């Protein structure tokens, strides 16, 4: 089955700086790569996704890049704000989602 | 607004008890999922269902069973709870297809003593 590795496990950034989270996957058949954000006491919520026919996608301060050859994809958050503090999960899907272990992002004011 | 609800936010049970976790979605979604979330392990799929009365094992089904008698409701059953089943349990639903957004409930934190 699919194996997704996510790094780093924790990330602390100064407000206004950028944050980057990287994930690798094992199954070349995976064709859908979503990112979820989980705030304290809540379930994960989709923030952005990318499909295998696209290399990059951007939504305001959030962007995701995909390199299918290398089997890795990354989340970039620019101009970080305190409300970006949360746990972020990457995932990869062939017919079901497999999640990474998560990255706890802390934005320092 | 999309809504997935779970019957309890916190649950404490004793070893050997039968435990039911209920999940309801109001979006008429075809697919429903049960995950458990543990620190350092992310979300791991226990079971999922593509249709009423249909179920399929996920990555860690041992010790669990599920029931989907109605489209909107998906239940996770721990036949005989054990301490290693202490965890956060998350329910999710999605429309057709493996590339559709999954909507998660708030989770149930289960402690087995």
């Amino acid at each position: 089955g699919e194996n997704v590795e996510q790094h780093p496990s924790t990330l602390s950034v100064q407000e206004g700086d950028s944050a980057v989270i990287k994930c690798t996957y094992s199954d070349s058949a995976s064709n859908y790569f979503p990112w979820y954000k989980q705030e304290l006491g809540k379930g994960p919520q989709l923030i952005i996704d990318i499909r295998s026919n696209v290399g990059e996608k951007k939504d305001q301060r959030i962007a995701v890049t995909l390199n299918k050859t290398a089997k890795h994809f990354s989340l970039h958050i620019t101009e970080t704000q305190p409300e970006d503090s949360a746990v972020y999960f990457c995932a990869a899907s062939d017919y079901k989602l497999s999640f990474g272990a998560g990255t706890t992002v802390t934005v320092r004011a | 607004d999309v809504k997935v609800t779970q019957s309890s936010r916190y649950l404490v049970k004793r070893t050997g008890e039968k435990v039911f976790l209920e999940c309801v979605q109001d979006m008429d979604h075809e697919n429903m999922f049960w995950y458990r979330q543990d620190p350092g392990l992310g979300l791991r799929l226990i079971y999922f269902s593509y249709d009423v009365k249909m179920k399929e094992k996920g990555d860690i089904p041992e010790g669990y069973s599920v029931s989907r008698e109605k489209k909107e409701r998906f239940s996770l059953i721990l036949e005989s709870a054990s301490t290693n089943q202490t965890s956060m349990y998350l329910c999710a639903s999605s429309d057709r297809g493996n590339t559709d957004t999954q909507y998660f409930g708030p989770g149930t934190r289960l402690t087995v003593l």
Side-chain angles (χ1 to χ4, degrees), chain A residues 36 38 41 46 51 94 96, chain B residues 9 37 59 98-99 101-102:
Chain A
Y36 283 81
Q38 185 177 27
L46 180 76
R51 299 174 194 275
D94 45 5
K96 60 180 175 67
Chain B
R9 292 301 302 270
Q37 181 178 8
D59 299 317
N98 63 311
T99 60
T101 302
Q102 290 192 18

Side-chain angles (χ1 to χ4, degrees), chain B residues 7-46:
Chain B
S7 50
S8 306
R9 292 301 302 270
Y10 299 94
L11 209 53
V12 180
K13 295 291 181 181
R14 298 225 172 258
T15 302
E17 280 192 79
K18 190 169 186 175
V19 182
F20 293 87
L21 302 182
E22 305 284 339
C23 175
V24 177
Q25 51 96 2
D26 66 357
M27 297 160 285
D28 201 35
H29 281 168
E30 302 291 328
N31 308 324
M32 296 189 74
F33 309 83
W34 275 107
Y35 295 89
R36 65 177 282 177
Q37 181 178 8
D38 299 289
L41 296 177
L43 280 69
R44 293 179 292 166
L45 183 64
I46 304 171

